[in-house]
Amino acid sequence: ADIPVIPDLEDVQEEDLAMQVAAPPSVQVNRVLTYHDLDKDLMKYAAFQTLDGEVDLKLLTKVLAPEHELREDDVSWDWDHLFTEVSSELVTEWELGQSERED
């Protein structure tokens, strides 16, 4: 009577896991400020113009470069081209130094 019996497939109700979708995790996302927002905040609030109440940052904030001047296009580097360019510049500098010594 205590012998285990293998159940028939019809008797077992399987859950179809392929049709179930896990709920997405809920994460609190804080808004990330853009450079433009940071620039406006830097100029608007006097608290950002001093550091620890002692160091005056007004001169620094006046000469900071705007974002559009700092953006550069991505340029891929080719090792052979870069090596040739640098070595030719070094040879040119070396030849100029040699000619100045001769004069």
Side-chain angles (χ1 to χ4, degrees):
D2 291 340
I3 300 174
V5 178
I6 299 175
D8 291 334
L9 287 177
E10 292 87 27
D11 297 338
V12 178
Q13 290 182 340
E14 289 189 44
E15 292 183 29
D16 189 12
L17 297 179
M19 298 304 291
Q20 293 182 358
V21 178
S26 61
V27 177
Q28 176 128 8
V29 177
N30 295 331
R31 182 175 168 264
V32 177
L33 294 176
T34 62
Y35 284 116
H36 183 69
D37 294 338
L38 292 173
D39 286 341
K40 282 198 281 187
D41 287 347
L42 185 64
M43 296 303 171
K44 189 188 324 182
Y45 299 111
F48 289 121
Q49 295 183 357
T50 59
L51 183 64
D52 294 334
E54 298 174 7
V55 180
D56 187 14
L57 297 176
K58 290 178 188 173
L59 182 61
L60 176 64
T61 57
K62 288 180 184 178
V63 296
L64 286 175
E67 178 187 3
H68 68 274
E69 289 181 11
L70 299 176
R71 294 276 180 192
E72 293 181 357
D73 294 331
D74 290 337
V75 178
S76 60
W77 289 4
D78 179 29
W79 169 250
D80 295 329
H81 181 268
L82 184 63
F83 181 77
T84 304
E85 184 179 332
V86 170
S87 61
S88 66
E89 287 180 15
L90 289 174
V91 167
T92 305
E93 288 179 11
W94 182 75
E95 288 174 353
L96 286 174
Q98 291 292 337
S99 65
E100 288 177 0
R101 289 184 192 152
E102 290 174 359
D103 293 337

